[in-house]
Amino acid sequence: DGNNTKERRNQLLKTIAPFQWYSSILQTTLTSDPILHCYGLHEWAMQYHPPNSPPPPSAKYQSNNIPLRVSRDVINQTVERKGIRCTH
């Protein structure tokens, strides 16, 4: 039946769509040059927390009993000044 064939085709397209998306990301990753000169600032970016914004996702791993080695202001200023461009 023609309707049944259309339904199967549409279902197949819905099933394949995520894999096509993943494939496109992997292809782009393979053909892009890595950016590795972040000098460890990606860890700082994970702690970036500008005023009046929700805490970064990494905050749930930061114990209140263990302070950061530098202040949140220093982290924010550094990330904003230098920017984060690493690909890892």
Side-chain angles (χ1 to χ4, degrees):
D1 177 70
N3 284 340
N4 197 15
T5 302
K6 276 187 178 180
E7 288 176 23
R8 280 188 278 164
R9 182 178 186 281
N10 288 340
Q11 183 59 42
L12 179 61
L13 291 174
K14 284 181 185 177
T15 302
I16 291 173
F19 295 102
Q20 290 173 321
W21 182 74
Y22 296 133
S23 177
S24 71
I25 289 175
L26 292 172
Q27 287 297 324
T28 301
T29 301
L30 284 172
T31 59
S32 299
D33 290 331
I35 300 172
L36 303 172
H37 57 277
C38 62
Y39 307 109
L41 287 178
H42 51 275
E43 282 88 0
W44 286 53
M46 290 169 51
Q47 290 295 324
Y48 180 69
H49 184 198
N52 302 317
S53 69
S58 60
K60 65 183 172 186
Y61 302 110
Q62 181 67 42
S63 169
N64 290 332
N65 298 327
I66 304 174
L68 297 172
R69 291 186 297 162
V70 296
S71 71
R72 181 78 61 200
D73 287 337
V74 169
I75 291 172
N76 290 349
Q77 290 169 8
T78 303
V79 169
E80 290 168 2
R81 186 178 73 247
K82 295 213 171 250
I84 304 298
R85 294 173 194 82
C86 59
T87 57
H88 57 284

